[in-house]
Amino acid sequence: MSNTFNNMVIYNGYPLSIVIAITFHSLVLAALLYLQTNNRIEALDLIQPTVIKALLIDENPQVRNEQILERQRLERIEDQRRQREEQARREQQQQEEQQRAEAERQRQERERSALLERQELERLQAEQLRREQEDRETEDQRQRELAAEQERQRQAAERDRQEQQVVAEAAAAEVARTEFELVQSATGLIQQVVQENWSRPPSARNGMRVLIKMSMLPTGEVIDVSITETSGDAAFDRAAETAVYRAAPFIELSVLPINIFNDNFRSLTLIFQPEDLLN
Amino acid sequence: MNNALSPVQLILNASLPVQIVFLILLLASVVSWVMIVQRWLVLSSANKGVLSFEQRFWSGIDLSQLYQEGTQMQKEQVQVVGLENIFRAGFKEFMRLRQQQSVDKEALMEGAQRAMRVAYSREEEKLDRNLAFLATVGSVSPYIGLFGTVIGIMEAFIGLANQAQATLQVVAPGIAEALFATAMGLFAAIPAVIAYNRYSASVDRITGAYITFSDEFSSILHRQVHTD
């Protein structure tokens, strides 16, 4: 009789069986993990993020406004510079003309005096010469004074204008700051709501881009949505359009001051551009 | 992120009911494998016991000497199993009854056969033990796995309902986790079913050998009784 088998079956073979069963399961688990680690290298490009983040790029009206303001300011400065140059040129011209006229007049005077001289003899010559000289001197002085006065006035006006400009700019910046915050929060809100309502079609691909122009009433109601730049995919365009309609109305906009609304939200362009799709 | 779909991560990320299902299935699998190995040891030793004892029995050895060898083995703390037990029970009963002069031949045969039947029942019970457990694991664990899968998929869809964007990536881990429960159920069930079928056939064969042997042995005893 085989003693080894008899010994194995002591306690009906349970200890050995337990050891074998547990070893077997451990091996299976180890094999599974091993295969998984090997697969992981191949599957690396298939790995997907669990969280899908829809990205909505908004053409910020505030930035646009700032750009416009900046452009206007530059234009103003340019204008002023041109005006100043123009004025300087005009003044110079005037002076030159005056000088020319003076010279002409003097020449005529001299001719006339020469004539008189010739007509009235030596007696008058000395006196006339003296009077002429006096006249010329007073005239010169008068002109110099006039020019100086004009220059002074011009400088004062320039200074005044500059001061006014600085004050106006500071005030505009102050207004723009509070406006900026309001616009920013309203824009963020619109962006968020639209994004929540945006369900992208299966045909959506990264880099697709559709520009949606929406017109709103001050109550936040959307009266018109139009596609200004299509992505080339009709379903994608439609999804963006639907997102805006679904998100409407933006009741929060009704609390904005009307001028801010008019400047920024009367007509708003949204860019829909997914950048996180996996395809 | 890289191994989000590895089995370990799946198990750890699963919800509590699904984890309980995993645990039940793992236990069922381990225990059924303990049974499989243990049954295998018992049945193969019984099989070998049948072959070796039949060889010894038909080798022309004197029956009382064979009985003495068995007694000797028991003294040496070696288990006596299978056919030898049946033989010993029948032979012991036969010798005992034969020593009592008052017992007639029919009663003698009947007593020996009854003793062998009792020993046979014991041996059969030893062989059959735990097979029912394997059958249970084989038939029930796919259902447990399916239950885990249903719960897991339900949770995946409930999670999906809260998502603004229903993408495959949102539900995929949940469904993979749920399907892993079914996989575990099948992993536990398949070996159990195979082992159950194989072992029950094996038990049938061995018990058939026992019955045949006890019939043969009782015919030998019968001859002995009637030749006296």
Side-chain angles (χ1 to χ4, degrees), chain A residues 17-77:
Chain A
S17 315
I18 290 168
V19 170
I20 289 176
I22 289 173
T23 314
F24 170 75
H25 280 86
S26 309
L27 281 177
V28 168
L29 191 67
L32 217 59
L33 287 177
Y34 176 74
L35 287 177
Q36 198 64 39
T37 48
N38 273 13
N39 278 349
R40 203 177 303 154
I41 296 148
E42 293 163 21
L44 237 144
D45 39 10
L46 290 176
I47 282 155
Q48 321 274 21
T50 48
V51 180
I52 295 299
K53 202 172 67 184
L55 199 71
L56 176 65
I57 298 166
D58 173 48
E59 191 186 8
N60 192 342
Q62 179 58 33
V63 170
R64 205 180 53 214
N65 273 8
E66 276 177 0
Q67 281 169 353
I68 290 168
L69 282 176
E70 178 68 17
R71 206 161 51 235
Q72 281 172 350
R73 203 173 62 80
L74 286 174
E75 276 172 7
R76 244 188 346 259
I77 289 169

Side-chain angles (χ1 to χ4, degrees), chain B residues 25-187:
Chain B
L25 288 176
L26 184 69
L27 278 178
S29 180
V30 170
V31 175
S32 76
W33 271 92
V34 170
M35 298 307 171
I36 288 168
V37 176
Q38 191 261 346
R39 281 297 94 186
W40 177 70
L41 291 174
V42 168
L43 290 180
S44 56
S45 97
N47 215 3
K48 287 203 171 170
V50 169
L51 290 177
S52 69
F53 185 75
E54 278 191 331
Q55 214 172 14
R56 278 190 328 165
F57 187 80
W58 298 112
S59 65
I61 192 173
D62 184 29
L63 290 186
S64 53
Q65 195 191 335
L66 195 61
Y67 183 80
Q68 287 303 321
E69 279 178 11
T71 316
Q72 190 63 33
M73 271 166 69
Q74 270 179 334
K75 275 180 190 160
E76 288 166 9
Q77 300 288 321
V78 177
Q79 265 188 330
V80 174
V81 290
L83 269 190
E84 199 167 1
N85 261 344
I86 295 172
F87 160 75
R88 285 174 61 79
F91 192 74
K92 196 157 115 191
E93 188 65 18
F94 180 77
M95 294 309 276
R96 263 197 211 143
L97 289 172
R98 216 166 126 167
Q99 276 161 11
Q100 297 172 12
Q101 298 301 322
S102 58
V103 180
D104 67 354
K105 290 172 180 176
E106 289 306 313
L108 190 65
M109 278 309 299
E110 213 172 291
Q113 274 172 352
R114 190 166 43 242
M116 279 196 289
R117 235 182 358 259
V118 170
Y120 165 77
S121 299
R122 285 217 184 92
E123 288 303 315
E124 193 189 25
E125 192 268 326
K126 272 189 206 167
L127 295 177
D128 265 345
R129 193 183 297 158
N130 293 336
L131 280 187
F133 178 81
L134 284 181
T136 308
V137 168
S139 56
V140 166
S141 59
Y143 293 119
I144 299 175
L146 193 63
F147 173 74
T149 299
V150 170
I151 297 278
I153 287 183
M154 260 168 61
E155 275 163 5
F157 278 119
I158 288 167
L160 184 65
N162 299 330
Q163 292 283 331
Q165 303 207 347
T167 53
L168 194 58
Q169 285 78 33
V170 178
V171 273
I175 289 179
E177 160 207 310
L179 291 179
F180 194 64
T182 303
M184 272 190 79
L186 294 179
F187 176 77

Side-chain angles (χ1 to χ4, degrees), chain B residues 193-214:
Chain B
V193 170
I194 292 174
Y196 174 74
N197 287 334
R198 192 178 147 67
Y199 291 164
S200 48
S202 182
V203 166
D204 278 352
R205 202 178 59 247
I206 292 167
T207 50
Y210 287 175
I211 290 170
T212 313
F213 172 78
S214 50

Side-chain angles (χ1 to χ4, degrees), chain A:
Chain A
M1 185 85 188
S2 65
N3 277 345
T4 47
F5 257 108
N6 253 321
N7 288 336
M8 269 166 88
V9 186
I10 287 173
Y11 310 116
N12 287 323
Y14 279 115
L16 183 68
S17 315
I18 290 168
V19 170
I20 289 176
I22 289 173
T23 314
F24 170 75
H25 280 86
S26 309
L27 281 177
V28 168
L29 191 67
L32 217 59
L33 287 177
Y34 176 74
L35 287 177
Q36 198 64 39
T37 48
N38 273 13
N39 278 349
R40 203 177 303 154
I41 296 148
E42 293 163 21
L44 237 144
D45 39 10
L46 290 176
I47 282 155
Q48 321 274 21
T50 48
V51 180
I52 295 299
K53 202 172 67 184
L55 199 71
L56 176 65
I57 298 166
D58 173 48
E59 191 186 8
N60 192 342
Q62 179 58 33
V63 170
R64 205 180 53 214
N65 273 8
E66 276 177 0
Q67 281 169 353
I68 290 168
L69 282 176
E70 178 68 17
R71 206 161 51 235
Q72 281 172 350
R73 203 173 62 80
L74 286 174
E75 276 172 7
R76 244 188 346 259
I77 289 169
E78 182 68 16
D79 269 0
Q80 283 164 5
R81 200 175 56 78
R82 252 200 320 275
Q83 276 172 8
R84 267 202 304 278
E85 279 174 2
E86 186 75 15
Q87 204 171 5
R89 208 168 54 241
R90 259 203 314 277
E91 278 166 8
Q92 207 178 355
Q93 229 168 6
Q94 222 171 1
Q95 269 179 342
E96 278 171 6
E97 266 173 25
Q98 276 172 354
Q99 278 169 3
R100 231 186 355 263
E102 176 67 13
E104 180 68 15
R105 205 171 49 79
Q106 281 174 359
R107 199 175 52 76
Q108 283 172 359
E109 196 90 8
R110 266 199 305 277
E111 277 171 9
R112 205 172 53 240
S113 67
L115 201 67
L116 283 171
E117 225 172 62
R118 274 198 305 278
Q119 285 173 351
E120 287 190 289
L121 303 173
E122 284 289 321
R123 186 184 52 85
L124 286 171
Q125 196 179 22
E127 191 190 347
Q128 197 161 0
L129 265 171
R130 197 181 61 246
R131 207 171 50 231
E132 248 177 47
Q133 214 159 6
E134 277 171 6
D135 277 357
R136 210 166 40 232
E137 273 169 13
T138 51
E139 177 68 11
D140 272 0
Q141 201 172 1
R142 200 177 53 79
Q143 275 190 358
R144 268 203 303 280
E145 277 170 5
L146 198 70
E149 179 64 19
Q150 273 179 350
E151 178 66 16
R152 229 179 6 259
Q153 276 175 359
R154 198 183 58 76
Q155 278 176 353
E158 178 73 10
R159 238 190 343 269
D160 273 5
R161 209 175 43 234
Q162 273 175 355
E163 274 167 17
Q164 274 170 4
Q165 198 179 330
V166 166
V167 170
E169 270 173 12
E174 182 62 31
V175 170
R177 243 197 314 282
T178 53
E179 203 177 301
F180 177 76
E181 280 162 13
L182 277 173
V183 169
Q184 197 72 350
S185 68
T187 312
L189 196 112
I190 292 175
Q191 200 170 328
Q192 192 192 336
V193 177
V194 171
Q195 196 169 320
E196 275 169 11
N197 284 289
W198 184 26
S199 72
R200 291 168 295 184
S203 60
R205 295 287 177 276
N206 277 341
M208 273 190 171
R209 185 181 143 99
V210 56
L211 263 65
I212 297 281
K213 185 175 177 154
M214 50 195 277
S215 310
M216 282 184 284
L217 293 179
T219 53
E221 281 169 77
V222 173
I223 50 172
D224 183 39
V225 175
S226 59
I227 297 162
T228 52
E229 188 190 310
T230 176
S231 64
D233 183 68
F236 186 75
D237 292 355
R238 213 162 39 245
E241 220 177 340
T242 312
V244 176
Y245 275 126
R246 243 192 269 165
F250 305 98
I251 306 156
E252 294 80 1
L253 292 183
S254 59
V255 301
L256 285 179
I258 189 69
N259 62 329
I260 293 180
F261 179 84
N262 282 338
D263 288 348
N264 298 296
F265 298 108
R266 180 66 70 182
S267 151
L268 185 69
T269 300
L270 297 173
I271 301 174
F272 290 75
Q273 184 171 24
E275 294 192 330
D276 54 340
L277 292 174
L278 305 142
N279 44 41

